[in-house]
Amino acid sequence: FSPSTINDCSLVGIIAGGRLNLGDVRQSGLDFSANYNLETEMGDFRFSGSFSKILNLEKSVVAGGPLFDALDTIGFQVSERGRLGVNFNRGGFDANLSANYVGSYLNNATITVAGMRLPNTEVPSWTTFDAGIAYEFEGGESGAFDGVRASMSIQNVFDEEPPIVLSGTTAVDLGNHNPFGRIFSFEISKRF
């Protein structure tokens, strides 16, 4: 930037800095999903499920460097994840329940206690359930509430504690588990 009396500048160059991904990743796997809608006199049901299975995951730190197996170890991807759900809808009422699954993996980054590194541990799989209900006011009879939607959802309905993963400065693997237990969410929105 060269200041002048007419407040203009001369661009000499742009320096762009940031992280660069120089490594290689080789991954293969399978993804499955299924959905089924069922209309009944009681209301409409929707059943859904998804499951991912990673078969192979190899990484290198730099391009052309040696590949290492990164699957099912802490800090990398877990080979099995799934979700099953059922949703019920009737008029403005909506309810859902779902199950979430994260497979087991190896903690090979354990902490050191009194100068001794703890042995590698197998982190068990973790299954949690989520639920929600919602109601949306519709039609001219609801007046000022027309288009208002009220909902409540609960993550980790049964307050399932995450597995203990002693690594670094935490006792929970935040990349795979939620340490906050049961979480309630309330929402009110208005459609115009």
Side-chain angles (χ1 to χ4, degrees):
F1 170 65
S2 302
S4 72
T5 56
I6 56 172
N7 291 327
D8 62 355
C9 66
S10 300
L11 183 62
V12 177
I14 297 175
I15 299 172
R19 296 182 178 181
L20 298 175
N21 185 1
L22 302 176
D24 287 332
V25 176
R26 296 184 186 163
Q27 178 176 321
S28 63
L30 302 169
D31 291 321
F32 301 95
S33 66
N35 295 301
Y36 181 73
N37 294 326
L38 177 64
E39 295 178 8
T40 68
E41 291 180 11
M42 203 169 74
D44 298 335
F45 291 89
R46 181 170 189 241
F47 301 91
S48 62
S50 62
F51 184 76
S52 295
K53 174 66 176 169
I54 301 173
L55 302 172
N56 182 44
L57 175 63
E58 294 180 321
K59 292 187 169 203
S60 70
V61 179
V62 295
L67 295 170
F68 63 94
D69 184 12
L71 189 59
D72 286 333
T73 55
I74 190 167
F76 297 102
Q77 289 176 290
V78 176
S79 66
E80 295 179 347
R81 287 187 182 269
R83 183 174 174 91
L84 290 174
V86 61
N87 180 276
F88 172 76
N89 178 272
R90 180 174 181 159
F93 178 76
D94 191 47
N96 61 70
L97 177 67
S98 59
N100 310 290
Y101 171 79
V102 177
S104 63
Y105 58 96
L106 180 68
N107 177 9
N108 62 354
T110 57
I111 63 173
T112 301
V113 177
M116 300 271 310
R117 185 173 176 266
L118 295 180
N120 294 345
T121 57
E122 186 74 17
V123 178
S125 63
W126 193 49
T127 302
T128 59
F129 291 86
D130 301 336
I133 58 171
Y135 185 78
E136 183 170 349
F137 295 90
E138 298 175 345
E141 296 178 11
S142 53
F145 288 104
D146 187 34
V148 171
R149 183 175 191 271
S151 65
M152 180 184 81
S153 63
I154 306 171
Q155 289 181 346
N156 195 355
V157 172
F158 301 113
D159 201 18
E160 184 71 27
E161 291 186 10
I164 299 297
V165 183
L166 298 176
S167 176
T169 59
T170 65
V172 175
D173 180 2
L174 300 176
N176 289 302
H177 307 113
N178 179 353
F180 300 111
R182 186 182 300 120
I183 299 172
F184 292 88
S185 299
F186 301 95
E187 179 182 322
I188 296 178
S189 60
K190 168 79 172 158
R191 181 174 38 85
F192 294 96

